[in-house]
């Protein structure tokens, strides 16, 4: 973990808090499903969708929790609207630079599968583009400004997603 060298207080300036983006996509998916239901490729009430959806949600929650735990141990804020104090590069962050967002995507997809809601799954692509360019790209630029070579080295060693 690298300490903030400059003591800066700026933030990444993301377009919106990521949990709100995921929640909005879920709500839009449920509303669209009520208005214009798309057929789900697996039969209704199929135990398989619950097992797959539940597994995705459990794995997602584990990644999400591991990422949050890393931030808390490093005593750096999790919310994107607060300045980062420390560059977290160990633990789950040594495998993926975005375990919290990756976990959110797995939880989101798991909900879509368990609910047999094709709209939620269809909205995954626009949500991924929104998160990638409206959140992650801004965070990466911010971390590079804030931590310089330490972040560039980390970015070279660890993949963005997996």
């Amino acid at each position: 973990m690298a300490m903030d060298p400059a003591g800066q207080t700026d933030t990444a300036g993301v377009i919106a808090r990521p949990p709100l983006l995921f929640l909005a996509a879920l709500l839009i998916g449920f509303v669209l499903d009520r208005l214009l239901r798309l057929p789900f490729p697996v039969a209704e009430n199929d135990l398989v969708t619950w097992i797959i959806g539940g597994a995705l949600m459990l794995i997602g929650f584990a990644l999400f929790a591991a990422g949050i735990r890393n931030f808390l141990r490093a005593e750096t804020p999790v919310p994107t609207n607060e300045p980062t104090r420390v560059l977290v590069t160990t633990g789950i962050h040594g495998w993926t630079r975005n375990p919290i967002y990756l976990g959110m995507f797995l939880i989101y997809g798991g909900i879509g599968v368990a609910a047999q809601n094709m709209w939620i799954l269809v909205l995954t692509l626009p949500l991924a583009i929104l998160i990638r360019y409206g959140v992650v790209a801004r965070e990466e630029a911010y971390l590079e400004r804030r931590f310089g070579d330490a972040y560039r080295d980390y970015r070279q060693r660890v993949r963005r997603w997996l």
Side-chain angles (χ1 to χ4, degrees):
M1 292 184 208
M3 293 300 291
D4 173 12
Q8 299 172 351
T9 57
D10 63 327
T11 63
V14 300
I15 58 169
R17 301 278 306 275
L20 297 178
L21 295 173
F22 280 92
L23 182 60
L26 273 175
L27 293 175
I28 291 168
F30 281 118
V31 168
L32 286 172
D33 192 58
R34 289 289 273 171
L35 297 175
L36 180 63
R37 184 152 178 82
L38 295 176
F40 199 78
V42 179
E44 297 260 342
N45 296 322
D46 193 351
L47 181 61
V48 172
T49 60
W50 281 98
I51 292 170
I52 293 170
L56 288 171
M57 287 186 272
L58 285 173
I59 294 166
F61 183 75
L63 282 170
F64 179 87
I68 297 289
R69 185 178 61 237
N70 258 6
F71 276 33
L72 294 176
R73 285 182 179 162
E75 298 180 358
T76 195
V78 175
T80 55
N81 60 345
E82 295 182 34
T84 301
R85 293 187 200 114
V86 176
L87 180 61
V88 180
T89 61
T90 59
I92 191 72
H93 287 89
W95 292 58
T96 172
R97 295 195 315 253
N98 295 292
I100 297 170
Y101 301 146
L102 187 55
M104 287 177 166
F105 272 111
L106 290 171
I107 293 167
Y108 176 85
I111 292 169
V113 170
Q116 298 181 359
N117 185 320
M118 280 304 296
W119 281 109
I120 289 175
L121 300 180
V122 166
L123 290 172
T124 302
L125 181 60
L127 178 61
I129 292 168
L130 191 62
I131 292 293
R132 167 62 182 90
Y133 294 101
V135 177
V136 173
R138 293 170 186 228
E139 287 179 346
E140 289 174 343
Y142 165 70
L143 292 170
E144 188 167 347
R145 281 192 317 272
R146 191 154 178 102
F147 298 105
D149 288 338
Y151 179 73
R152 284 187 285 278
D153 176 58
Y154 173 61
R155 188 181 63 212
Q156 292 297 316
R157 290 183 295 110
V158 178
R159 291 180 175 267
R160 180 178 290 133
W161 299 109
L162 284 176

